[in-house]
Amino acid sequence: MTTTASPAAVRPPARAGRRDWSRASRLLVAVPDAVVCALLCVAVVVALALLLGVFLPAVVLPAGVVAAVLGVRLRPALPAPGAADGRVVLGAGVALLVAVAWFLVQVGHTGQAIGVGRDPSQYTLLGLYLVDHRSPDVGLPQAAVDLARAVPGLRTNFITDEVTAANHIQGTSLLSGMLAVLGWLFGTGGVWAANVVLGALGLLAVYAMGRRIVGPLWALLPVVALAVAMPLAEFSRTPYTETLALVFAAGAVLGIWVAAERGALRPAALGGACAGAVMLSRIDGGIVMIGGIVGLTLLAVVTPDPELRARRRRALAVFVLAAAPVGLLGWLDLRVHSPKYLSDLSDLLYPVLAATAALAVVGWLASGPVAGRLLTRAVRDVRRRRRGWAVAAGVLASAAALFLLSRPWWMVNHKQVDPDYWPAVEWRQRAEGLPVDGTQSFDEMTVSWLAWYFGWPLLLVGLAGAVTATVDGVRRDTRLLAVAAVPAVAAAFYLNAVSITPDQVWAFRRLLPVIVPGLLLGAAYGLRRAAGLLARRRAPAWSGIAVLLGAVLAVLPVLTWGPMFGAREGQGTYDLALRMCSLAGDGLLVQVGNYPPTGTMLPAVQELCPGTAAVQTFSTSPVTLQQIADHWDGDGPVTVVTFQPGVLFPTGVGGAAPWTTLTVPQWESVISHRPRRVDQVVLQVWAGRLDSSGTVQALPAFPALS
C-alpha cells in the first residue's frame, strides 16, 4: 500500500535562525515609523503634565511608557519585508545606523549656553529647572519681588519691565519638558544631550516619510544630507524647537501619504495629530496644518471616483479632528505659561489659525457630494487632458523656482515696522562692510541660504525634482500633490518673508522643519525618476550615474563646515552660573549694567540657584545701589556682579581685578555668508558685597574658568 506524504513531510527543513531573522527584519523596518508615533504620544503626555502643573517623574514616566507603547501599536502598516526585497530591510538598517552614528558624534559637541540672549538658552535653563519643579512657571522669592517694586529701574524679568511673582520663557514649554525627562533619567548630562537625541529621531522621521515616496534606498539621500550638514547639528547641539518640529512635520507628511492612497483613517489621524504637535513645539505650527488641509482637499477634489472621494473626504475630516485638539494644547500652553509671548505674536498667530479653520470648512464643502457633482465634468476633463495640465503645472512650478532663485539680483526687501529689529541688523552690516540699512529684511536671500549649507548642485537638483514631482502629481499620482502642499505652504510663508533677524545660522532655523526636508526629498525624487527613465531606455550605465550623483550630493554638505564642527558653544557659562550661585548663597544677587555678549545671567541664577534671590538693573548709579541696600529685607548678603569694567570699581593701575574671567566659544553671527569662524568671547566678571551704606567691597579674585 502506497502512502502519500503530508505537505509537512516534504517541506524542506527551515534554516537555522530564519524565523528570528524574519522577526528582526520586521522590527527593524518598523523602527522609523514607531519612533514618530511613540514620540508623538509621549509629547502629548509631557504637554498635559506641564499644562496641569503635575510634571513629576511619578506621573510622566509611567504615563509616557504607556503612551509610547500605544503609539507604536498605532503606527501605519508597512508591507512585510521579504526575501525578494531586501532593500526595505537594508534601507531601514542604514537609516538607523546613520541616526545612531550621528548621535554618538554630535553628543560630544553639545553646547552649554546659559546666558540668555536668544531662545536656546531659555529652553536649556527651563529644562534644568523642570528636573526639580512641576511647573514651567519660574517662581521668584517674594523678597526679590518686593525689592524690584520698591526700587525704580530694578527688574526681575529679562523680557519685560513688569515685575511679577513668576517668570515665563518665550514659547511653548514642550521642548524643555522633553529635556527634563532625560534629566530625570540621566542627570544633568541628559539635559545637555536630550536635543541631540531628538535630532537623531528627526533623521529617522525623515526616513520614515521619504521611503514611502521615493523608496527605501533613495530615501537615504535626505537622511545623509541632513546628517552631514551644519543646520541640524547646530540646532540639536543647543536646544532649538525646530528639531522637535522636524520630527512631527515629517510625521504629518507620512500620515498624509499613507492616508492619501485609499482614504485610510488611522494614518490620517496620525498625520493630523503630528501636524497639531508641530504647534506643541512651535507657535507657527499652524502652517503645517494648513499645508495638510490644502493637500488632502486637493486630493479629494481631483478624485473622480465617488466612493474613493468620499473616503478621502473622511480622511480630511479625521486629519482636522486629530490636529485640532493637539494644536489647541499648544495654544493653551502658551496661554498659561507664556502669555506675553502669545500676546506679542497674536497678530501673526490668529490669522493663521483663522485661515486653518476656514480652509478646513472650504475643504469639507469642496470635497462633498454637491460640489462633486458640480466638479465631476471639470475633473474628468482635467484627467482627459492631464498631459497639458501637467505641462502647465510644470511651467508654473519652474517659474516659481526661477523667481525665488533670481531675487538677489533684482530685489531688496525691507522690514519697516520693527524698530527693535533695526539695530541688530545695522551693527552686523557695519561689521561686515555692507551698506547700512537696518530696515533690510534679506527675505530675497532665503533660497541662497539653502545653497550655503547644502551646496548649489543639491539645491538645483532639489528644485528640479520638486518641479518633476509637481508634473507627476498632475499627470500620474495625485498623492504627490497632497504631500507637496505641506512644504509648498511653508515655502510660501518663509521663503517670501522669513520674519527673523537674518544672521546665520540663527535665521536658517525657519527653513529646517519643513522646507529643508522637502528640498532634499525633491532631489531624491528627481534623481530616482531620472534613474528609472534611463533604466527603461536600456541605459544602465547612465542610470548608475544618477545613483552616483545622488550619493555625491548627499555627502556634499559636509564641505560647508570648515572650523565650526569642533566648537561647543557657551562652554563654561554653566560653571559660571553655578559659581555665581555659590557666591550669592541664600542672599541677593544683583546684575548691574549691560548684558555680557553671551546674554544676561539673570535667568540662570533664578532657575539654577535655589534659595538665591536675583534682580538686575541697567543703572550704574550709586543712588540705585543705595536704594537696594535700604530696601533689601531678605536673608543673606547682597552680592553685586557686573560684566562692564569700571562700573563697580575703578580700572587700571590699583583698580580691582575681575572676580573671574571666562573665554566662551561662539559661532560668529553674520549676514552675508554662513558662519566660517568660531569667536572666542572673553567675559570678565567683577563682583563685590554691597553694605548698608551703599558701598561695594570687592571680593577676592577667583581663578579663571576654562
Side-chain angles (χ1 to χ4, degrees):
M1 182 176 177
T2 304
T3 60
T4 303
S6 68
V10 297
R11 184 180 302 155
R15 290 188 300 179
R18 182 175 179 180
R19 180 175 299 175
D20 291 339
W21 167 247
S22 177
R23 183 180 299 113
S25 299
R26 288 195 297 271
L27 290 173
L28 179 61
V29 171
V31 166
D33 290 2
V35 159
V36 175
C37 298
L39 188 63
L40 169 67
C41 295
V42 171
V44 171
V45 169
V46 170
L48 283 171
L50 290 167
L51 182 63
L52 299 174
V54 292
F55 187 74
L56 299 165
V59 174
V60 174
L61 292 180
V65 170
V66 172
V69 171
L70 291 175
V72 169
R73 295 181 66 86
L74 293 174
R75 70 187 184 278
L78 264 178
D85 194 5
R87 293 172 298 176
V88 177
V89 180
L90 176 62
V94 173
L96 183 58
L97 286 175
V98 170
V100 171
W102 185 88
F103 168 79
L104 293 175
V105 170
Q106 299 299 339
V107 77
H109 300 282
T110 52
Q112 291 189 346
I114 292 297
V116 176
R118 280 179 164 171
D119 298 358
S121 301
Q122 296 185 68
Y123 302 129
T124 302
L125 285 173
L126 186 59
L128 293 166
Y129 179 82
L130 283 170
V131 171
D132 300 309
H133 296 82
R134 63 173 62 191
S135 169
D137 299 333
V138 180
L140 305 178
Q142 189 60 46
V145 176
D146 293 341
L147 177 68
R149 288 172 175 164
V151 178
L154 213 58
R155 304 175 66 178
T156 59
N157 192 318
F158 82 102
I159 298 175
T160 176
D161 293 332
E162 183 182 0
V163 178
T164 58
N167 285 344
H168 307 95
I169 69 164
Q170 295 185 111
T172 60
S173 51
L174 174 63
L175 176 58
S176 297
M178 303 296 278
L179 305 184
V181 169
L182 270 291
W184 290 336
L185 298 174
F186 302 105
T188 302
V191 176
W192 301 123
N195 210 46
V196 181
V197 174
L198 295 175
L201 299 185
L203 292 173
L204 290 175
V206 168
Y207 181 76
M209 168 189 69
R211 68 178 172 182
R212 308 282 184 152
I213 302 169
V214 297
L217 297 185
W218 281 106
L220 294 172
L221 188 157
V223 173
V224 174
L226 261 179
V228 302
M230 294 170 68
L232 181 63
E234 169 65 3
F235 300 145
S236 298
R237 291 176 176 186
T238 51
Y240 284 79
T241 55
E242 284 78 7
T243 305
L244 191 55
L246 170 68
V247 178
F248 296 135
V253 174
L254 165 65
I256 291 169
W257 177 268
V258 180
E261 183 173 4
R262 300 298 298 173
L265 300 185
R266 193 170 74 182
L270 170 65
C274 283
V278 179
M279 191 165 173
L280 269 181
S281 312
R282 297 185 43 76
I283 195 171
D284 60 358
I287 294 173
V288 176
M289 289 189 277
I290 288 177
I293 292 169
V294 169
L296 288 171
T297 298
L298 184 61
L299 181 71
V301 167
V302 300
T303 302
D305 179 67
E307 183 180 349
L308 181 56
R309 184 195 296 125
R311 288 201 299 271
R312 287 175 167 173
R313 187 187 190 220
R314 288 193 293 270
L316 168 64
V318 169
F319 179 92
V320 173
L321 292 175
V326 184
L328 177 62
L329 185 58
W331 179 85
L332 286 172
D333 179 56
L334 291 169
R335 180 70 180 82
V336 174
H337 296 306
S338 192
K340 184 179 186 300
Y341 183 72
L342 178 62
S343 175
D344 289 345
L345 295 184
S346 60
D347 291 345
L348 299 175
L349 172 64
Y350 290 124
V352 171
L353 296 183
T356 304
L359 286 170
V361 173
V362 170
W364 178 253
L365 295 175
S367 58
V370 175
R373 286 192 293 271
L374 296 174
L375 294 173
T376 296
R377 179 175 297 180
V379 170
R380 288 176 178 170
D381 182 67
V382 169
R383 292 183 68 83
R384 281 197 305 270
R385 303 168 187 256
R386 58 182 178 269
R387 182 179 297 235
W389 284 101
V391 171
V395 170
L396 287 174
S398 299
L402 290 173
F403 168 79
L404 292 171
L405 279 169
S406 67
R407 289 178 304 166
W409 300 340
W410 53 272
M411 178 185 289
V412 178
N413 277 12
H414 294 273
K415 189 181 180 77
Q416 300 286 1
V417 293
D418 193 352
D420 294 332
Y421 163 94
W422 299 337
V425 174
E426 288 176 353
W427 78 259
R428 290 177 174 87
Q429 289 171 327
R430 290 191 181 96
E432 296 174 50
L434 302 173
V436 177
D437 179 2
T439 69
Q440 191 172 351
S441 67
F442 292 85
D443 294 331
E444 68 277 5
M445 294 297 298
T446 50
V447 175
S448 297
W449 294 350
L450 290 163
W452 290 356
Y453 295 100
F454 291 95
W456 282 103
L458 185 52
L459 170 65
L460 295 175
V461 171
L463 291 174
V467 172
T468 303
T470 302
V471 172
D472 287 349
V474 175
R475 186 178 178 185
R476 301 169 62 244
D477 189 348
T478 53
R479 292 178 300 172
L480 291 168
L481 298 179
V483 296
V486 177
V489 169
F493 276 89
Y494 283 142
L495 291 185
N496 286 309
V498 72
S499 300
I500 194 172
T501 307
D503 59 305
Q504 300 299 315
V505 61
W506 165 262
F508 196 82
R509 61 198 288 244
R510 287 282 192 263
L511 312 185
L512 179 71
V514 183
I515 295 172
V516 166
L519 174 73
L520 300 179
L521 194 58
Y525 184 86
L527 289 171
R528 176 176 177 263
R529 287 280 286 122
L533 181 63
L534 291 170
R536 285 195 299 274
R537 294 189 175 182
R538 298 183 180 181
W542 287 100
S543 176
I545 289 175
V547 175
L548 180 61
L549 178 60
V552 171
L553 291 179
V555 299
L556 196 61
V558 76
L559 300 178
T560 64
W561 273 95
M564 313 305 295
F565 186 83
R568 297 189 65 185
E569 290 193 278
Q571 187 175 19
T573 54
Y574 178 67
D575 290 337
L576 174 61
L578 296 183
R579 296 282 168 82
M580 291 171 65
C581 295
S582 177
L583 183 69
D586 292 332
L588 171 70
L589 187 139
V590 184
Q591 179 178 291
V592 175
N594 294 331
Y595 296 162
T598 53
T600 176
M601 296 296 288
L602 175 69
V605 176
Q606 291 174 331
E607 296 177 48
L608 298 180
C609 310
T612 300
V615 294
Q616 71 179 25
T617 178
F618 293 113
S619 171
T620 59
S621 168
V623 174
T624 300
L625 295 177
Q626 181 64 66
Q627 290 177 319
I628 292 172
D630 292 342
H631 288 91
W632 171 246
D633 58 2
D635 297 329
V638 177
T639 304
V640 184
V641 298
T642 186
F643 297 86
Q644 288 182 251
V647 168
L648 296 180
F649 318 104
T651 56
V653 178
W659 171 66
T660 194
T661 302
L662 172 66
T663 301
V664 182
Q666 190 167 281
W667 283 24
E668 67 171 336
S669 177
V670 287
I671 290 177
S672 58
H673 55 81
R674 67 177 179 269
R676 299 171 182 165
R677 184 185 71 236
V678 179
D679 293 331
Q680 301 297 326
V681 180
V682 178
L683 298 186
Q684 291 183 305
V685 188
W686 286 265
R689 294 275 194 240
L690 179 66
D691 60 27
S692 58
S693 66
T695 302
V696 180
Q697 303 294 330
L699 289 170
F702 194 88
L705 296 167
S706 59

